[in-house]
Each structure stands twice: as C-alpha cells, then as structure tokens.
Amino acid sequence: MSTTADPIAALGALPGVADSVDSVRKAVDRVYGHRIMRRRSNEITSEAALRGARGSAALAGAEWALEEVRRRTDFSGDGEARTVGAALRLTAEAGQLLSIWRQSPLRVLARLHLVAAADSTEGAGRPRLAGEPVDEPLVELPLPDADEVAGRLEGLSQLIIAGSAAPALVTAAVVHGELLSLRPFGSHNGLVARAAERIVLVGSGLDPKAICPAEAGGAELGRAAYLAALDGYASGTPEGMAAWIAHCGKAVELGVRESAAVCEALQRGAA
C-alpha cells in the first residue's frame, strides 16, 4: 500500500477503481429503492445472511446447496459441516460487533475467530505465535511469519481507527485482502476475512441493512477467480490491487442481484 497519510484512500485513485465504486453504489441504491424494502426489509436481511454464509463456506471449500444450508440444524459432523456452521455463526455475530469495529478492530477480529473456531482449536481468538501452523489449504500464498503478522495487523488497526476518506468498497477490499494474505489465525482465516469485509460494508453505511451479500457474489464468481484476484492483492502492484478491488466490487454487485431477486419473488407472492 501507499505510504501516504491515508494509504487506503490512495487506492481509490488507481485506474478503474472509481468505476467499480460507482457501479457498486448504483447497484446498492437500486436494491434499497425496491418497493418491497419498505415493508419487508427484515426478510431480505435474513435471506441475505443465509446466502452470504453459504457463499463464504463455499469459498472455504464447503460447497453446499442453499436449501441444504437452510434445512440443516446440526453442523457438528464432518469438516464441511463445521465450516458451514462456522460461516453461519460468523454472519450472525458480525452484526453484533459493528459498534466496536472502529474503536477496536483487533478485538473484533479476535472475537470473530473465537466464534468461528467455537473453542475447538488451540489458540482460538488470538493471532498465531511463531511456529504455530495454519490450516488454510486453499490459499497458497507465502505465509508471513508471526512478527510480520503482528506488525501489519497493528498497522491495519491504526488505519481503521484513524478513519479513511476511501469509499467503503475500497476499505472493505483492503481489510478482506490483508487478512486473507496474512492468515493471522491458525484456522478459519477466509471466513473471518469475509466477515470483516461484511462489517465494513455495513458499518460504513453502504449497506446498513446487510442485504448485499458479497460472499454470495464471490462464490458465484468462483474460487479460482477469487484466489487469482487475491494473488493480485498480495503482489502489492497497482494493477494487482486494482484488480482485487474490482473483484470485490463485482462480488458485491452479484450479491445485490441475489437480494433483488428475493425482493422480486416476495413482491410476486404479495401480488
């Protein structure tokens, strides 16, 4: 990232980023303007949460059908079931942490990991220490050591606390990309990174009712495209960073499309 006083905002000037930001803003405004949102927004929020959790789990390797996620009540079985359960818990928890994020993002990240791990792993709720392994097999980027993780987490925390003039999409993409590149926890880093992105999008006011599930859009774009875009973020090049932000923007737009379809279905049912 740039070394300017507001390095996140500096990314907004990268070629193509302003177009992504504008496209996302227009898409979000359209779904918020849907007439069904005036009467049944809580239903849209609940459905978006389910679809977002399903999408985040799919990006972590647990590709379940939406109806299976909706039907299932026990997520204590195999690894995929636990991943889906963790994604559902994180989606529910994220909404409870909005007020804490701007004051103490590291506390929020620790809480998200604790919720995802459900106390099942040693070190749950804290960044990994030197020599501790990381279970994140789908991300093949070089793994930063614990000292680098601590320094970059602190830097990210200070940027969030200080605030940025960057559009919400850019800030959310940086938080998401930084956490997934660092993999600061021993497990569930992808789930935590995507939950943190959700917190930024909601808390910034871009998506205050949490009806634009970027995770669902990311799953629709596919894991291969997701990881290729992440490689661009990790490269630190202007082109790579811009490509990652554009990918995150497209994921939000696809999530918006899902909620717009839900609005249309509810409107037809009410007709």
Side-chain angles (χ1 to χ4, degrees):
M1 279 188 285
S2 167
T3 56
T4 63
D6 191 349
I8 298 179
L11 297 176
L14 292 174
V17 169
D19 290 340
S20 293
V21 169
D22 185 55
S23 184
V24 166
R25 178 75 267 175
K26 288 177 178 177
V28 172
D29 285 347
R30 282 194 299 272
V31 74
Y32 270 86
H34 197 288
R35 66 178 62 185
I36 208 74
M37 284 293 296
R38 291 194 292 270
R39 295 179 288 109
R40 304 178 70 176
S41 63
N42 288 343
E43 292 173 69
I44 309 301
T45 296
S46 295
E47 184 65 18
L50 186 72
R51 292 176 184 230
R54 183 260 168 200
S56 190
L59 288 169
E63 298 190 46
W64 285 21
L66 181 62
E67 291 310 313
E68 175 65 10
V69 179
R70 195 190 307 280
R71 179 193 67 81
R72 193 77 164 258
T73 57
D74 180 9
F75 298 95
S76 62
D78 60 17
E80 286 197 3
R82 291 194 296 273
T83 295
V84 174
L88 288 165
R89 291 193 300 274
L90 282 177
T91 299
E93 186 72 13
Q96 310 303 313
L97 299 172
L98 294 170
S99 63
I100 305 172
W101 175 254
R102 282 293 300 272
Q103 286 74 43
S104 186
L106 296 184
R107 178 181 165 196
V108 169
L109 293 175
R111 175 61 185 169
L112 290 173
H113 186 251
L114 190 65
V115 168
D119 298 322
S120 63
T121 59
E122 185 177 353
R126 64 158 174 79
R128 55 187 167 87
L129 304 177
E132 289 185 331
V134 173
D135 180 16
E136 204 75 39
L138 300 181
V139 179
E140 297 180 351
L141 293 171
L143 188 68
D145 64 30
D147 287 341
E148 181 180 350
V149 167
R152 285 172 62 179
L153 278 180
E154 182 60 31
L156 181 64
S157 174
Q158 291 305 314
L159 288 173
I160 293 166
I161 292 169
S164 173
L169 171 65
V170 177
T171 302
V174 168
V175 168
H176 185 171
E178 191 73 357
L179 292 174
L180 196 51
S181 298
L182 289 176
R183 283 146 293 164
F185 301 106
S187 63
H188 301 96
N189 289 286
L191 297 178
V192 168
R194 291 184 288 275
E197 178 189 49
R198 171 181 284 265
I199 287 172
V200 174
L201 293 173
V202 174
S204 67
L206 176 65
D207 180 23
K209 294 184 182 294
I211 62 168
C212 306
E215 310 96 323
E220 183 174 344
L221 290 168
R223 198 181 309 136
Y226 179 67
L227 295 176
L230 179 66
D231 285 345
Y233 177 88
S235 75
T237 65
E239 298 81 6
M241 299 288 279
W244 169 251
I245 294 167
H247 180 89
C248 291
K250 185 62 176 176
V252 174
E253 289 188 61
L254 290 172
V256 167
R257 190 175 70 180
E258 290 224 5
S259 286
V262 173
C263 286
E264 290 295 320
L266 289 174
Q267 183 168 284
R268 287 193 300 271

